[in-house]
Amino acid sequence: MATLHSCSFCSLHSLPSVTVKYSRAQPRILRFNCRSSSDDKEDYLLDAPVSIGDGFSFSGGKYSDEPSPADEWFNKGKFVKAYPVSGTGEKAKDPIFGLTMGGSSQASSDLFRWFCVESGSSNNSPILLIHGLPSQAYSYRKVLPILENNYHAIALDWLGFGFSDKPQPKYGFDYTLDEYVASLESVINALTDKKVTLVVQGYFSPIAIKYASNHQEKLNGLILLNPPLTINHAKLPSSLSVLSNFLLGEIFCQDPLRASDKTLLSCGPYQIKEDVAMVYRRPYLTSGSAGFALNAISKAMKKQLKGYVEDTRAILMDNNWSVQTTVCWGQRDRWLSFDGVEAFCKESKHRLVELPMSGHHVQEDSGEELGQLIAGIVGKRSSL
């Protein structure tokens, strides 16, 4: 009598189902169902009508015919083209199965597309809201409405995140921290020709600080949300570090629950709601490109973060640093310890604002409070 076994490996990591049949009379039959989504069949994508995540997917399948929160967020935004594509223009292939990747994993022909959501008039002073690792511009959804009356607020997705381009590593963008610094300069220039206030969160803070060190004349101010500031911050927490591991990290980066839910929930008190969770999961559910990008970013962070943290400390302590800088710190951060932060801010003469009920992702835990705080900081500087 035949027995049927389903592959727990694939079930655990959201891979296509593998069915193995055993029989005394028949040889073993292995079925592995996977394919490239380059044929653009609608039923392969989740919430296909507005999805742009059409790369190779480990977890395809249409789950809803109704508009989702991700659709609603997507409809509020636009694409800005910035930062030239490098490489030979060769079509990207996924590193596991060798299949040609779909559109969202391919580099553009000229400039990368960055997804951003804006609020307020473009005539007002610009505030650029930059998310951390791993997150999305969506994390600032509660901040944007508070800033819209007096400022031009812009929340953007980094390359590799949200709805921005996610080229396959080594096919136009390698996700190194140096590339992120250069690309940030390009997208800021594309978004505005005015002096801008940068609000940047978490592990992407050193990238913004490196950019700012070379372009102080372009900044009205810098607001850092739980940035890595001490030598003890130069090591990724385990829930992020594991994403850089060989093979295991590549698998975990393709698992929406590990790539989004676990990283959001492990770093603070945040309790994620299902409709919000689906927005963060969306890139990983619709395309393998988001997972491949996250794996590459995690590897780069693990390798380069220490040097960037050292540069951050040197830049912010330098007597030539003229950008008014505020550090906002969620006291319930489980990834970055507060030890040494107060002493650093005191020595470097930068303002420190503590948020006792917030964790690492301050904008998620205390979005409205953060919006009011940003408005107050920028407003005070404008009146000087």
Side-chain angles (χ1 to χ4, degrees):
M1 183 175 180
T3 58
L4 185 65
H5 299 270
S6 62
C7 179
S8 60
F9 177 87
C10 295
S11 300
L12 179 60
H13 301 295
S14 303
L15 294 175
S17 61
V18 178
T19 302
V20 183
K21 287 186 176 181
Y22 297 98
S23 172
R24 293 188 181 91
Q26 298 179 352
R28 188 173 100 170
I29 300 172
L30 178 65
R31 297 175 182 170
F32 205 145
N33 297 317
C34 61
R35 57 178 170 136
S36 168
S37 63
S38 57
D39 54 3
D40 289 331
K41 290 187 177 179
E42 182 179 348
D43 63 356
Y44 191 71
L45 301 177
L46 291 98
D47 294 322
V50 300
S51 173
I52 59 166
D54 59 349
F56 182 88
S57 174
F58 292 106
S59 50
K62 197 171 179 67
Y63 70 84
S64 173
D65 290 317
E66 301 297 327
S68 73
D71 296 331
E72 296 170 4
W73 176 251
F74 177 77
N75 290 333
K76 293 179 180 179
K78 69 176 185 180
F79 287 103
V80 173
K81 298 190 75 174
Y83 194 65
V85 176
S86 62
T88 63
E90 179 186 359
K91 287 290 185 181
K93 296 182 179 180
D94 82 86
I96 298 178
F97 299 105
L99 299 173
T100 299
M101 304 286 283
S104 87
S105 292
Q106 303 295 345
S108 305
S109 58
D110 50 358
L111 301 172
F112 289 112
R113 298 182 310 164
W114 300 65
F115 180 76
C116 63
V117 176
E118 300 174 272
S119 70
S121 170
S122 59
N123 295 322
N124 294 333
S125 179
I127 299 176
L128 185 58
L129 306 170
I130 304 175
H131 68 79
L133 173 71
S135 188
Q136 298 180 32
Y138 179 71
S139 64
Y140 287 104
R141 65 195 177 280
K142 298 178 183 177
V143 176
L144 286 167
I146 295 173
L147 300 176
E148 67 182 356
N149 289 335
N150 299 310
Y151 305 100
H152 179 207
I154 310 166
L156 64 80
D157 284 327
W158 282 108
L159 294 178
F161 293 90
F163 288 107
S164 288
D165 279 350
K166 306 172 191 66
Q168 180 71 0
K170 300 181 180 180
Y171 291 90
F173 195 78
D174 289 339
Y175 300 97
T176 65
L177 304 196
D178 293 344
E179 283 178 302
Y180 272 120
V181 173
S183 66
L184 178 61
E185 177 183 2
S186 181
V187 74
I188 290 176
N189 290 339
L191 286 169
T192 182
D193 57 2
K194 299 178 180 179
K195 295 182 70 172
V196 64
T197 296
L198 294 184
V199 179
V200 57
Q201 190 267 329
Y203 288 101
F204 275 117
S205 298
I207 291 170
I209 292 168
K210 180 68 73 73
Y211 159 79
S213 68
N214 297 318
H215 302 282
Q216 295 188 51
E217 75 286 353
K218 295 183 178 181
L219 299 185
N220 275 327
L222 179 65
I223 301 175
L224 305 172
L225 312 178
N226 285 58
L229 289 176
T230 75
I231 195 63
N232 292 329
H233 294 165
K235 183 178 180 182
L236 289 177
S238 59
S239 52
L240 290 182
S241 180
V242 69
L243 300 178
S244 68
N245 291 350
F246 173 71
L247 188 57
L248 185 62
E250 293 168 345
I251 293 170
F252 283 175
C253 285
Q254 297 296 342
D255 183 341
L257 298 181
R258 279 192 171 270
S260 60
D261 294 46
K262 184 174 178 61
T263 53
L264 280 172
L265 296 174
S266 66
C267 61
Y270 185 58
Q271 297 298 312
I272 194 168
K273 296 180 180 179
E274 184 63 19
D275 59 342
V276 173
M278 286 309 299
V279 179
Y280 283 110
R281 295 170 191 161
R282 175 68 167 269
Y284 305 97
L285 287 168
T286 57
S287 171
S289 60
F292 290 126
L294 180 58
N295 178 247
I297 296 163
S298 301
K299 289 178 179 177
M301 279 284 179
K302 192 172 184 178
K303 182 178 180 180
Q304 297 181 275
L305 182 60
K306 182 179 179 181
Y308 264 72
V309 171
E310 291 172 350
D311 289 344
T312 289
R313 291 176 59 83
I315 291 168
L316 296 181
M317 294 283 287
D318 196 314
N319 291 330
N320 293 321
W321 178 252
S322 60
V323 179
Q324 295 187 52
T325 303
T326 302
V327 176
C328 299
W329 198 272
Q331 289 284 9
R332 300 174 71 182
D333 191 334
R334 296 173 187 164
W335 282 355
L336 298 177
S337 169
F338 186 63
D339 293 345
V341 172
E342 187 173 13
F344 175 82
C345 290
K346 184 176 181 179
E347 185 178 358
S348 59
K349 298 180 176 58
H350 298 309
R351 181 186 178 190
L352 173 64
V353 179
E354 300 177 31
L355 293 91
M357 301 307 294
S358 302
H360 184 72
H361 293 283
V362 177
Q363 66 271 39
E364 278 290 356
D365 293 326
S366 307
E368 293 89 350
E369 181 182 358
L370 177 63
Q372 297 290 350
L373 183 60
I374 294 171
I377 293 171
V378 179
K380 183 176 180 180
R381 289 173 182 166
S382 301
S383 64
L384 294 177

